[in-house]
Amino acid sequence: MSSSPRPAILVARAVFPEILELLRQHFEVEDNQADTVFSKQELARRLQGKAGAFTTGGDRVDAEVLAANPQLRIVANMAVGYNNFDIPAFNAAGVWATNTPDVLTESTADFGFALMMATARRMAESEHFLRRGEWTKWAYDMFAGSDVHGSTLGILGMGRIGQAIARRGHHGFGMKVVYHNRSRLPAETEASVGATWVDKATLLAQADHLVLVLPYTPENHHCIAAAEIAQMKPTATLTNIARGGIVDDAALAEALRERRIAAAGLDVFEGEPALNPALLSVPNVVLTPHIASATVATRRAMARLAADNLIAVLGAPGQGGQPLTPLNAGQFTPRA
Ligand code: DGY
């Protein structure tokens, strides 16, 4: 009995071996276990002849990449953020775009909260001091930071992760939680996470600890810059687990150096993995390399969901279904 050829896919970065194994049960797979970071041109070249792609947040897929690959039917991002995708270009080309929501919410919220606490309690700065061998005596004000419990938590962006952080602050740490988001949550959701909507100026002025969890869009570019930092309390902390580009990193580094706010915790950076060198020379910042979702279980779940999206669309010959977590459902006519 002749069977139709299996669709070919590209897995653009290294991934868990068992996920590759699963994908190989359905597809001809070109992998990249050497984990080379492809340029956009190289990605477009490797996608030749592929019906699907498994990408991560650093892989840019736009009109040029899609036009060079008219056989492509789905690009599955192993990330909840999708600012690496040009969604209107996907729609114009008739290609599914998917992401990995929900499975990373709690782990990412854990990390956001941990980074905020590490920032408030000066954990990185004090650890560096200790490692340098400078700890010679106890002192009443040594690395005295600011309290998290009972303080005011400000959240900018209030999707799933923002709500999970609010719950931690309200129920776990007795914090007053204020948030700003384009759309206000329903009253019952606000009550369950213990958060109150305020305008952005009020958020900036009231927050003892401001956490950013909004998606990166052109409108959100530098939505925290010198003018916004100037509205914050000099004792406040700022934590960014959203995306580089939301914060003006140069303005932030200057504000930290001048102690216009107390400290910052940053997991994401403009132009990462490069980062503004000024951030490396200020002590009152905790820096981590974009790892907010990085627990083994969560990264496995993200990879599995991206794989399942590819299988749902390409895996069953003649049954080409909808992906599980589409970004552009109803916005286009899929390529045949
Ligand atoms: C996400 O899922 O968007 C995380 O930032 C990892 O890229």
Side-chain angles (χ1 to χ4, degrees), residues 243-255:
R243 278 291 181 270
I246 288 176
V247 174
D248 178 342
D249 285 350
L252 176 62
E254 196 179 319

Side-chain angles (χ1 to χ4, degrees), residues 199-261:
D199 60 36
K200 188 176 168 189
T202 304
L203 181 84
L204 294 170
Q206 286 192 355
D208 293 311
H209 304 292
L210 179 63
V211 181
L212 309 181
V213 270
L214 66 171
Y216 181 76
T217 60
E219 302 76 57
N220 289 342
H221 182 72
H222 285 186
C223 84
I224 300 291
E228 287 74 22
I229 294 169
Q231 295 173 61
M232 294 174 66
K233 299 177 186 179
T235 50
T237 71
L238 172 68
T239 297
N240 186 8
I241 58 162
R243 278 291 181 270
I246 288 176
V247 174
D248 178 342
D249 285 350
L252 176 62
E254 196 179 319
L256 289 168
R257 189 177 318 104
E258 295 173 0
R259 304 271 169 179
R260 282 189 265 123
I261 59 170

